[in-house]
Amino acid sequence: MSPGHPRHKTCASTHGGELALSFAGVSESRPFAPDRVVLKTAANKKVFAILSGHEFPDDQVTVKADPERVVELLERFEAVHPAYKLNRRHWVNISLAGDVRDELIQKLIGDSHDLVAP
């Protein structure tokens, strides 16, 4: 997703593992733990990303992807793993301190949003 995309406001991650994400029409909640942010589309309330903090050794983001893309990401990157407690065919967990470039993480978050947005 490009910065000019109508649903895109900001999306940035740093090598320090921080991730700032803001799409138009997104709701944020913390139903599991104070440092686990669940992001949903406001229109249909579907989850598109989960940002996880201190319960793991490093910050992580979980995103939805097409099954073929999931397989490719798992084979290509050491920092990508099947998502915990989600459908592993459609969801991956990405360590923000790993070998996945920030730009790709941003794209995967945008693609995840697009997959679930109405």
Side-chain angles (χ1 to χ4, degrees), residues 83 85-92:
K85 292 191 177 183
L86 293 171
N87 184 331
R88 292 171 179 224
R89 185 169 182 244
H90 295 276
W91 291 88
V92 291

Side-chain angles (χ1 to χ4, degrees), residues 1-114:
M1 173 181 303
S2 68
H5 192 283
R7 286 188 292 252
H8 185 267
K9 286 186 193 172
T10 62
C11 179
S13 63
T14 65
H15 292 292
E18 296 176 7
L19 182 70
L21 176 66
S22 177
F23 287 93
V26 168
S27 67
E28 177 182 311
S29 64
R30 298 170 189 267
F32 307 116
D35 62 346
R36 189 175 295 173
V37 179
V38 176
L39 299 169
K40 298 179 183 181
T41 59
N44 62 6
K45 305 207 184 305
K46 290 191 176 185
V47 174
F48 70 91
I50 301 170
L51 308 175
S52 303
H54 303 294
E55 78 268 23
F56 297 105
D58 54 8
D59 291 346
Q60 302 182 12
V61 62
T62 303
V63 295
K64 188 170 189 174
D66 290 320
E68 299 81 24
R69 183 74 164 150
V70 168
V71 170
E72 184 242 321
L73 291 167
L74 291 169
E75 290 175 353
R76 184 173 166 200
F77 297 104
E78 290 182 24
V80 177
H81 302 281
Y84 181 68
K85 292 191 177 183
L86 293 171
N87 184 331
R88 292 171 179 224
R89 185 169 182 244
H90 295 276
W91 291 88
V92 291
N93 189 38
I94 305 165
S95 167
L96 299 180
D99 60 343
V100 182
R101 290 186 349 263
D102 292 346
E103 296 80 15
L104 180 56
I105 292 170
Q106 293 168 10
K107 180 174 178 3
L108 291 169
I109 292 169
D111 291 349
S112 182
H113 180 270
D114 289 349

